[in-house]
Amino acid sequence: MRVDLVIERINDYKYFLKDSDMNEYILNMEFYDIDKIPKVGDKINMHKNMVNNLDNYLYSFGNVDAIYGKKIDNLLDEDIIVLLIDNKKIYLKRFYG
């Protein structure tokens, strides 16, 4: 299951997010391979499993074709996030290690 989140606030790597039911989430995230870093008001679509993790975990995301992370065969994979920045969709995958 995927969830749409709006970025409410950013403090360094800490992103304060809210879903359509007004549930709040705090995730530590860093982004690679993109021209614009997400800002307040931008949206993130991600798998629900990622938003249920602990506050102190740092997620890293980058190009879906990068060697880091697992091989992606489906853009609905739970390791894929979709950023909506300036009405442009950017697909990134979760990096490991």
Side-chain angles (χ1 to χ4, degrees):
M1 175 179 201
R2 300 186 68 83
V3 62
D4 290 317
L5 305 166
V6 175
I7 300 171
E8 295 284 316
R9 193 163 46 106
I10 303 168
N11 185 1
D12 290 325
Y13 294 102
K14 193 172 281 200
Y15 285 74
F16 298 82
L17 310 165
K18 198 175 278 188
D19 66 16
S20 60
D21 294 327
M22 304 310 281
N23 296 312
E24 295 180 348
Y25 306 93
I26 301 171
L27 294 175
N28 293 306
M29 298 184 285
E30 61 184 347
F31 301 93
Y32 298 96
D33 309 320
I34 57 176
D35 295 330
K36 288 186 176 182
I37 300 298
K39 62 189 178 309
V40 171
D42 288 339
K43 297 177 182 174
I44 301 175
N45 174 278
M46 62 183 6
H47 197 276
K48 187 75 170 170
N49 289 344
M50 280 195 227
V51 297
N52 290 330
N53 275 318
L54 301 175
D55 177 42
N56 61 357
Y57 188 84
L58 176 64
Y59 285 109
S60 298
F61 299 100
N63 190 299
V64 293
D65 295 325
I67 61 171
Y68 308 105
K70 69 180 189 181
K71 184 176 186 230
I72 300 296
D73 295 323
N74 180 348
L75 290 179
L76 295 178
D77 189 290
E78 69 178 46
D79 279 347
I80 291 289
I81 67 167
V82 183
L83 299 177
L84 186 60
I85 299 174
D86 299 329
N87 292 320
K88 179 182 174 187
K89 288 184 180 180
I90 302 168
Y91 292 82
L92 300 173
K93 75 173 177 178
R94 180 177 170 191
F95 287 171
Y96 291 93

